[in-house]
Amino acid sequence: MELLRSNLSRVRIPEPTNRIYKQECCISFDTPRSEGGLFVDMNSFLAFGKEFVAWNYKKSGNPVYLHIKETKKADSEDRPSKKPTLLALGVEGGFDNNDPEYEQSYEIVILPDYVNLPFPSVDLPEKVRLAVDAVIMNVGAEKKEQVAVWTADRKHVSKHAMDLKQLDNGVIVPPSGWKCEKCDKTENLWLNLTDGSTHCGRRNWDGTGGNDHAVNHYNATGYPLAVKLGTITADLEAADAAVTSDVYSYAEDESVVDPLLAQHLQHFGIDFSSLQKTEMTTAERELDQNTNFDWNRIQESGQEVEPLFGPGYTGLVNLGNSCYLAATMQVVFSTGGFCSRYYLNQSLEAAFGSAPADPTVDLNTQLTKLAHGLLSGKYSIPATKKDDTGDSAQTTLTDKQEGIPPRMFKSVIAANHPEFSTMRQQDALEFFLHLIDQVERINTGNQVSDPSRSFKFGVEERLQCSSGKVAYNKRCDYILSLNIPLHKATNKKELEDFKRLKNEKDAKGEELSSDEIVRPRVPLIDCLDCFAAPEELHDFYSTALKAKTTAIKSVGLTSFPDYLVLHMRKFVLEEGWVPKKLDVYIDVPDTIDISAMRSKGLQPGEELLPDAGTEDDGISANEDIVNQLLSMGFNNLHCQKAAINTMNAGVEEAMNWLLNHMNDPGIDEPITKSQKGALHVDQSKVETLISFGFEEEVARKALQASDGDIEKATEWIFNPPSDTSNMDTTPSSSGNVVDAAMSDGQGRYRLIGLVSHIGSSTHCGHYVAHIRKDGRWVIFNDDKVGASKNPPIDMGYLYFFERIDG
């Protein structure tokens, strides 16, 4: 006790603003249920497993810890599972998986000699009792974040509800017997609150649901609000019917509240007080799918796979729509660069030693923690379950592993990001690029150990106008995004037969069975050829002719990275900019050779296009591009700037530029000559690049080539700082120069992994990873890891290839 009293100055009573960690070690995945329990630093309130607490004492000098140990309680009787009423975890009404209950025990531990003092105890100093009580009563930082992001958002009142136009067309909706006006669907029906029409809902990705007639009706009429028939109830226990009824605003593209729903229904002769709820709302259906989802549907034809355990076979717990993160990180940590940087060549102790005071907010530490969690095999062990005898003391191993929850990593990598910081499903491609960007940032100045460089490659665009003169523009990238040329399908006859069969069944009102559906099969080599094929650019402003002309654009790679990531553009925009997923198979061989895609650079006899002079009027906006952007609702001035800054390359390029520059400070300033010719460069941005080690002339030209974007300008500068003074930063290439910061080799690659997606959008559905390990394919489906029997190689969204040298 005297030892504790002598260290009272190192004990703090937590304040309301303090983040208290007590569910998980900050540098491992140990928990209070792990062997040895968890030690909470009573000064910093960080938690450490038994193996790691001595490191914290050595680094911080903090000697006093609260030791928390949880042991499983014996079940006296079976607890009934409660059906969830809220799509949430850890809150009242949320999911309850009937998990076993645990009993907590506490003691005070003083390092370095691990002196133990019981808690609670009246002999403890009051300051210690108050501090420990506060830690125990406090909801841990991990739990706070989990509950905060899982609690479903409340629906808001539709902006169309209060002044909704309703037609006096004499429509009276009967209280029952509803049917879609366009087909025979009698379920999932939506009543349009403007004209009283009844149509079926959207078709789901798996073919279930409706036939899209309700949304098609909105597209044709613009009538915004519809209510799902069967979800309206007069049950007083169901709270406000206006809130619980399923009202959807097509104009706002989300579920909403209609405060005047009773009035709007009365217009069509519906007295909601007489209606009984007969269908699940969309939210309830989503909840039901989350509860009863059959994972076998996405696990290789529903076959059970052989579970795998050990180093490299650790699953990741789904934190709620985090499968995009899990699938991506499993493949990333199977690559040599990330495995070496964060596992083989960096110990947990070294990462913790170089971390700031709070390692939970340090990306380097959390990447190292995740790497060791996935690759060490420490947590890849079979879970235990109670024997059939009911004796909780007798447990057996199961074929399932518990996996590790990447909470701290997700919190760090998603910090301040408007999308990844939510619990919504995200695009695995966008997450991969965000990860690579963050990893590159924390390894600035240390290119040798930067694992992101193993994905980095150079892209060179060659432009040749009708004058015969050329321009070369370079950039770097981390993924090769490929269009899918459906006209190259190898099963055209089967597709024609399927189209005839579909038309016949549609005419009869019959539905196709799943085994009758035929999908296009497109070879991957045709997707690569499409990327490299020359393309005509119309209305290209030639500085040689000082006029608009047609140019030929071709693209090649200046280097071949250690790992090549191919992104299949399965999500396209239909007419009206409606997103659609291509239902297509990609025939991907085991190895590919892209040697022919290497760019050749400026060739002997080629003459470069002259630079645009600042005194010239320069390029003017293409009217067709501007008009198409205007039709989408963009501002005229913004549309002109987008066309000018993309050299009238096309609507897609201009729209992408516009979306990336909508918040630029000078976006609303008039167009000047300098914007038509040489772009004005903010001197402060030049100074920023100079501070990175680049020379002023190089920095200025890089910013001009990158629309003043510092990040893009940094990528645009290919050579390392020591060589930038000799770099020709005009749009040209001095032969086949390879960036020293990029790996390079032959163009032969072997497929090592893929991330596949099931769902109608990248922001819904599910992601799964398949990785080639130890000579076989392995499926990683969140915390489920097993030997793959039939990897869906032709269904990939992202493909990961490893370069073969020699």
Side-chain angles (χ1 to χ4, degrees), residues 402-419:
E402 292 182 358
I404 55 176
R407 294 189 191 96
M408 291 186 186
F409 168 71
K410 183 178 186 295
S411 178
V412 173
I413 195 67
N416 301 319
H417 193 285
E419 288 299 326

Side-chain angles (χ1 to χ4, degrees), residues 162-180:
M162 304 311 291
D163 56 355
L164 182 70
K165 178 182 178 182
Q166 292 191 284
L167 303 182
D168 293 324
N169 53 9
V171 172
I172 299 297
V173 179
S176 61
W178 307 308
K179 185 173 93 50
C180 176

Side-chain angles (χ1 to χ4, degrees), residues 118-134:
F119 182 90
S121 172
V122 294
D123 295 330
L124 293 172
E126 183 181 14
K127 181 180 181 182
V128 174
R129 295 201 307 269
L130 291 174
V132 172
D133 283 338

Side-chain angles (χ1 to χ4, degrees), residues 760-803:
S760 59
S761 162
T762 53
H763 294 91
C764 68
H766 190 65
Y767 288 97
V768 174
H770 285 77
I771 305 171
R772 193 198 302 266
K773 281 180 176 282
D774 303 323
R776 62 182 172 186
W777 282 97
V778 179
I779 180 173
F780 291 84
N781 182 11
D782 288 333
D783 57 353
K784 303 171 184 66
V785 181
S788 175
K789 294 182 179 179
N790 184 26
I793 294 177
D794 52 2
M795 298 176 67
Y797 176 56
L798 301 177
Y799 291 98
F800 289 74
F801 286 84
E802 182 177 32
R803 195 181 66 230

